[in-house]
Amino acid sequence: QSALTQPASVSGSPGQSVTLSCTGTGSDIGSYNYVSWYQHHPGKAPRLIIYEVRNRPSGVSSRFSGSKSGNTASLTISGLQAEDEANYYCTSYTTRTLWVFGGGTKLTVL
Amino acid sequence: QVQLQQSGPGLVKPSQTLSLTCAVSGDSVSSNTVSWHWVRQSPSRGLEWLGRTYFGSKWDSDYAVSVKSRIVINADTSKNHFSLQLRSVTPEDTAVYYCARLLKKIWSFDIWGQGTMVSVSS
């Protein structure tokens, strides 16, 4: 069982917005702004798309945005495109084991 | 451009040691602005952080509780690479193993290796 809880799957149609959640505890997401999100296409290396809750690395589309409230972080993808279909993982720094990941959410673009 | 290139066997027998190496190009393993990590992915566990090594005033390593008694992560500065050794493996250790760089100024894994599928089977 992963330390951070993510829904197993989410779907949306092209052009729509979807929000992926990532729920932790007061020992990780609730205490630190070191939440990041990764896009993972099977067979490829994970790609960093959000760091420190809401910041986008250079080259990442502004359609990706992050936020946090209490022990839950969220990733919103607006203007959904076919290429966004992938697995998305959140991670957080934690006092317990340094770094914890979520179980991942499979995003399907209908 | 920083790149991580993984190498190592894709099949390990139960009770033996899993050994993987991650060669770093475009950066130095001795840099104090980064740390070097191993992460694995399996269908049952999703992504799981295994541990890290880094150079501050000296080399240090930290490990996940789940593997702490069996794991060693260290770096070889002469070859500019870092390695994972996981002892006494079982089929539960079957996974895709990734090496990754964590950039301290953004506290995130910004560079990843290509991944190595490791199966534990006799």
Side-chain angles (χ1 to χ4, degrees):
Chain A
Q1 186 175 1
S2 300
L4 304 179
T5 300
Q6 297 184 248
S9 62
V10 166
S11 62
S13 299
Q16 286 186 332
S17 293
V18 293
T19 296
L20 285 59
S21 63
C22 172
T23 301
T25 69
S27 297
D28 39 66
I29 293 176
S31 290
Y32 301 98
N33 287 326
Y34 300 138
V35 177
S36 50
W37 289 87
Y38 301 85
Q39 179 189 61
H40 188 205
H41 290 104
K44 294 190 173 183
R47 175 194 180 208
L48 175 66
I49 55 173
I50 293 288
Y51 66 92
E52 292 178 330
V53 176
R54 63 184 72 253
N55 299 302
R56 279 179 286 106
S58 174
V60 173
S61 171
S62 58
R63 298 185 299 104
F64 294 92
S65 62
S67 62
K68 187 184 89 165
S69 177
N71 296 337
T72 298
S74 299
L75 172 71
T76 298
I77 309 172
S78 59
L80 210 55
Q81 299 178 0
E83 68 208 46
D84 299 331
E85 184 162 297
N87 295 307
Y88 291 84
Y89 292 90
C90 58
T91 186
S92 174
Y93 183 79
T94 171
T95 52
R96 291 175 291 139
T97 58
L98 294 184
W99 295 100
V100 290
F101 283 89
T105 296
K106 179 176 173 58
L107 171 63
T108 300
V109 180
L110 301 170
Chain B
Q1 182 182 359
V2 179
Q3 291 186 318
L4 303 180
Q5 181 66 41
Q6 297 178 219
S7 59
L11 181 63
V12 182
K13 288 182 166 51
S15 80
Q16 293 192 341
T17 297
L18 181 160
S19 296
L20 296 173
T21 296
C22 185
V24 180
S25 58
D27 197 358
S28 168
V29 289
S30 301
S31 170
N32 60 9
T33 63
V34 298
S35 55
W36 306 99
H37 300 243
W38 287 95
V39 176
R40 68 183 178 184
Q41 180 186 32
S42 64
S44 60
R45 299 187 181 201
L47 282 176
E48 178 185 13
W49 179 79
L50 295 177
R52 68 172 179 179
T53 191
Y54 61 98
F55 186 77
S57 55
K58 62 178 178 66
W59 282 102
D60 207 349
S61 300
D62 298 289
Y63 304 118
V65 171
S66 61
V67 295
K68 193 169 186 175
S69 63
R70 304 190 287 133
I71 190 172
V72 172
I73 297 174
N74 54 25
D76 185 329
T77 56
S78 66
K79 296 179 180 178
N80 207 40
H81 74 204
F82 64 105
S83 301
L84 164 70
Q85 290 188 305
L86 186 65
R87 298 184 297 273
S88 304
V89 296
T90 72
E92 291 254 312
D93 295 309
T94 294
V96 178
Y97 287 76
Y98 293 96
C99 60
R101 184 183 82 163
L102 184 135
L103 192 58
K104 289 180 182 178
K105 70 176 183 180
I106 63 172
W107 284 91
S108 296
F109 304 101
D110 66 329
I111 307 292
W112 294 71
Q114 79 275 23
T116 301
M117 177 65 211
V118 179
S119 296
V120 178
S121 173
S122 55

